Amino acid sequence: AKSGGRGRAERFDDQYAAEASARLRLDAELRHALANDELICVYHPEIDLATGGLYALEALVRWQHPSRGMLSPDDFVPHAETVGLIGILFEQVLDQVLTAQDKWLDEFGWRPTVAVNVSPRQLTNARLVQVVLTALEAHDAPASALILEVTETALVDDSVMTGTLAELRRHGVAVAVDDFGTGYSSVSRLADRHWDALKIDRSFVAGINEDVAREGVVHAMIALAHALHLRAIAEGVEDEPTLTKLRELGCDAAQGYLFTRPVDAAEISKMIIRCPEW
Ligand code: C2E
Ligand code: CA
Ligand code: CA
Ligand code: CA
């Protein structure tokens, strides 16, 4: 027993125990969520800046938690990654995306391309390609229906990863480098022909109008993309002046709250009806 208040180590133990029990609860709840269709996708349009048409929709996962309300991916995707549930999560997202596309195809006669986020460690799993191809087949969808987004921080030199990327490409599935500018990819890595697009991270896009240095950086990123024959997509576009500037700089597509917040599949249908240029 201790005298005179609680010791530092004991407080540390308590905190550790609390965190461990929170993790265990999250784990159980997430497994329950995956078994009970509590995860849903919302969609965030990427607008083609040359035509005003729809370049693609990005699928973003949400958890409709029975008591905590709508949870954002940051609340549970990292956990899903560490405990090995990310593969199941991905398969559920993929199935929802392709099901939504089937409906849009039915309603409008075309299948909007959807970008799906892939966690880094999925790329080091040789099974990924088969999962994607099987899902496409089950929905009778062409490989061009999907774009996979891979965060730049993930682009380590790994032979399984490189093989996966090459095989996806061979089958016609496009891959975009996500959060470009936040990672450490070498130009040679970007030039290795596995990619179709660079998504310029929101942190670079914000404020390009107020700061010539920022503008210069984004301009250089767009130029790099084009030199490598990749499309340049800007994320996090929140105002009209930013959009105008991106157009001037030759950016290919843009995404952000200026156009809309991410919305569910039914809401996308309404937008398609409202936007003839899509
Ligand atoms: P991300 O792939 O970089 O997605 C962009 C995030 O920025 C989304 O947040 C989106 O709602 C938000 N965003 C888009 N435009 C704007 C804007 O103009 N202003 C601001 N302030 N924010 C904007 P969200 O949905 O919370 O997703 C966070 C991250 O979670 C994503 O970042 C992605 O890395 C990850 N994620 C989402 N869905 C999935 C998934 O199905 N699988 C995996 N592995 N990761 C996912
Ligand atoms: Ca993304
Ligand atoms: Ca991103
Ligand atoms: Ca980002």
Side-chain angles (χ1 to χ4, degrees):
K2 288 203 175 89
S3 56
R6 298 170 10 110
R8 188 184 278 266
E10 202 174 324
R11 260 192 324 253
F12 176 79
D13 279 354
D14 283 357
Q15 191 194 343
Y16 185 81
E19 279 168 12
S21 98
R23 260 199 314 278
L24 275 178
R25 193 174 61 236
L26 178 60
D27 202 69
E29 288 182 346
L30 187 55
R31 283 170 202 278
H32 183 267
L34 286 163
N36 292 278
D37 301 320
E38 289 174 16
L39 299 191
I40 60 147
C41 284
V42 290
Y43 299 88
H44 207 195
E46 299 174 1
I47 305 301
D48 186 318
L49 295 186
T51 65
L54 186 66
Y55 174 83
L57 297 165
E58 179 178 7
L60 296 161
V61 70
R62 299 285 180 267
W63 178 359
Q64 273 178 313
H65 191 282
S67 60
R68 291 161 67 202
M70 194 75 97
L71 301 186
S72 87
D74 296 331
D75 297 328
F76 61 91
V77 165
H79 181 79
E81 286 170 350
T82 25
V83 300
L85 292 173
I86 197 68
I88 303 170
L89 185 149
F90 176 75
E91 286 183 47
Q92 292 199 0
V93 167
L94 207 53
D95 188 57
Q96 281 193 33
V97 162
L98 288 158
T99 302
Q101 281 183 332
D102 290 342
K103 182 137 188 295
W104 292 321
L105 182 63
D106 226 39
E107 288 175 316
F108 306 110
W110 57 287
R111 191 185 277 278
T113 303
V114 178
V116 179
N117 291 285
V118 180
S119 287
R121 66 183 65 201
Q122 293 182 260
L123 290 174
T124 55
N125 182 344
R127 225 173 65 83
L128 179 72
V129 179
Q130 210 42 58
V131 167
V132 172
L133 295 180
T134 304
L136 284 169
E137 242 168 65
H139 290 262
D140 212 7
S144 59
L146 297 176
I147 301 171
L148 299 185
E149 293 193 4
V150 185
T151 52
E152 192 195 20
T153 46
L155 304 184
V156 292
D157 235 326
D158 176 289
S159 63
V160 180
M161 188 187 281
T162 308
T164 301
L165 290 168
E167 223 189 312
L168 285 167
R169 195 107 222 275
R170 195 165 60 75
H171 284 100
V173 179
V175 183
V177 177
D178 203 356
D179 301 339
F180 179 62
T182 63
Y184 311 95
S185 50
S186 60
V187 172
S188 72
R189 192 78 175 85
L190 293 173
D192 64 13
R193 296 163 185 280
H194 299 316
W195 320 106
D196 298 86
L198 295 186
K199 278 189 95 169
I200 302 170
D201 192 65
R202 180 167 91 229
S203 58
F204 295 92
V205 174
I208 52 170
N209 269 290
E210 288 95 63
D211 184 341
V212 284
R214 278 170 180 273
E215 178 187 331
V217 169
V218 169
H219 194 182
M221 287 171 150
I222 294 168
L224 176 64
H226 291 167
L228 296 168
H229 303 289
L230 309 175
R231 316 291 306 276
I233 304 165
E235 54 175 47
V237 179
E238 294 187 349
D239 53 59
E240 201 67 53
T242 302
L243 180 64
T244 306
K245 181 66 76 184
L246 287 165
R247 258 206 202 91
E248 269 170 44
L249 299 179
C251 193
D252 299 293
Q255 176 186 42
Y257 293 172
L258 171 64
F259 304 105
T260 172
R261 299 257 165 172
V263 294
D264 66 20
E267 204 57 45
I268 291 291
S269 291
K270 290 183 201 157
M271 286 184 189
I272 293 176
I273 293 166
R274 274 204 311 267
C275 304
E277 67 274 23
W278 278 16

